[in-house]
Amino acid sequence: MFDRAERDYILTLEGHKLLGLAETLESDFYAFEREAFATDVSETGTIRVTAPDSLGINYLPKLLNEFRKVHPSIQVELSVRNQFLSLSKREADIAIRPAKQLEGDMVARKAATMAFGLYATSEYLEANGEPLNERELIQRTICGFDGALSNIGAKSWLNKLLQKTTPQYRFDNTTALLAAIRTSCCIGVCPCFMADADNKLRRIGFVEPDQSTNIWVATHPEIRNTARVRAFADFAYEQIRRDRNMFAGIA
């Protein structure tokens, strides 16, 4: 199956043929698993939910508490990570994802817009002055995105504001980014629903929040009507819709 090279192994022609068969078997296995799960009509059991840290740490715990009051027999496994888990492989049953658009084999409903703004502590602004335009902004220390956050819509908005200047500090999760802003070391970009709730932070006034990122509630089409998946997806969608003004930064 492999030819040994100087530092690694190279797949042979026969290996490529077997790889194709293995990929087909893998695809059939996951299809079987989804089909078996889809036949479960019970609202009792476990579901897997995935969300990034912005929602998984700062919003979903409250939502889960409310969900349990309505559906006490459904257990929820919550995976908080900014990397996308595969719905096709049932790494998660439901994904709550902030993104401009979603791609892939899934069905998704847009529940709200997640606005991003620029924030700093009063201490930082008193020491450094609040920027009144983009020219003054790029003279300040800025916290921005990196890694798994690079695909959200607000990154291009921030790049335009900074006139392609690279932020001095870059983070791959919003919770760490918010913590950095709170140390008064910088002006940082953050979801409005997180920063507006923090009395220590002030929104930079001359910048209109970016509204290009949406919050989606997504699942795989083959399991969308499974009773407990549908129960959670519908509940999460309605709760996020209820709080849409908060997520849009206007509440």
Side-chain angles (χ1 to χ4, degrees):
M1 290 182 63
F2 296 92
D3 288 328
R4 185 178 178 86
E6 183 177 351
R7 294 186 177 180
D8 55 13
Y9 291 88
I10 300 173
L11 203 61
T12 63
L13 179 61
E14 291 78 8
H16 278 288
K17 292 178 180 178
L18 291 174
L19 178 62
L21 291 172
E23 290 173 341
T24 299
L25 286 172
E26 180 187 48
S27 177
D28 289 345
F29 170 79
Y30 289 122
F32 176 85
E33 187 178 36
R34 292 193 304 269
E35 184 65 27
F37 182 69
T39 62
D40 189 348
V41 299
S42 172
E43 281 201 9
T44 300
T46 301
I47 54 172
R48 305 183 189 117
V49 179
T50 180
D53 69 284
S54 56
L55 295 166
I57 294 174
N58 300 282
Y59 182 75
L60 283 183
K62 179 181 177 181
L63 185 149
L64 292 177
N65 183 50
E66 295 300 317
F67 178 74
R68 183 161 181 79
K69 295 176 184 177
V70 182
H71 298 280
S73 60
I74 299 178
Q75 292 82 48
V76 179
E77 296 177 355
L78 177 61
S79 176
V80 178
R81 59 180 69 191
N82 291 316
Q83 294 80 11
F84 285 176
L85 296 183
S86 172
L87 298 177
S88 296
K89 295 181 179 180
R90 284 206 63 221
E91 293 176 343
D93 300 314
I94 300 161
I96 301 178
R97 294 177 174 170
K100 190 171 185 177
Q101 295 291 337
L102 289 183
E103 298 178 357
D105 190 10
M106 66 184 75
V107 289
R109 288 183 288 175
K110 185 177 80 171
T113 297
M114 180 188 282
F116 286 76
L118 287 181
Y119 293 85
T121 63
S122 298
E123 180 182 350
Y124 178 90
L125 296 177
E126 289 168 3
N128 298 277
E130 180 171 347
L132 301 177
N133 51 51
E134 293 175 6
R135 179 180 57 80
E136 292 185 6
L137 178 63
I138 63 175
Q139 296 172 0
R140 305 294 191 272
T141 302
I142 304 296
C143 290
F145 304 121
D146 197 11
L149 296 182
S150 296
N151 62 349
I152 63 175
K155 186 175 183 181
S156 59
W157 164 81
L158 181 62
N159 288 341
K160 184 178 179 181
L161 280 175
L162 298 182
Q163 302 173 32
K164 298 184 179 180
T165 300
T166 303
Q168 291 88 339
Y169 303 114
R170 298 183 295 279
F171 297 84
D172 67 357
N173 74 79
T174 55
T175 304
L177 199 159
L178 180 63
I181 300 170
R182 295 187 85 255
T183 66
S184 301
C185 74
C186 62
I187 294 172
V189 59
C190 196
C192 292
F193 86 94
M194 293 170 58
D196 288 344
D198 192 323
N199 293 330
K200 191 175 181 180
L201 302 183
R202 283 166 46 186
R203 192 187 295 181
I204 303 302
F206 88 90
V207 180
E208 287 294 323
D210 176 73
Q211 303 280 351
S212 65
T213 299
N214 301 310
I215 302 176
W216 303 87
V217 179
T219 189
H220 193 278
E222 292 177 15
I223 67 168
R224 65 185 300 185
N225 291 319
T226 304
R228 56 186 181 272
V229 170
R230 189 177 189 90
F232 186 87
D234 288 347
F235 185 88
Y237 174 82
E238 293 299 333
Q239 291 292 303
I240 295 169
R241 285 290 298 166
R242 183 198 64 187
D243 293 330
R244 61 187 179 275
N245 286 344
M246 177 189 72
F247 285 113
I250 58 177

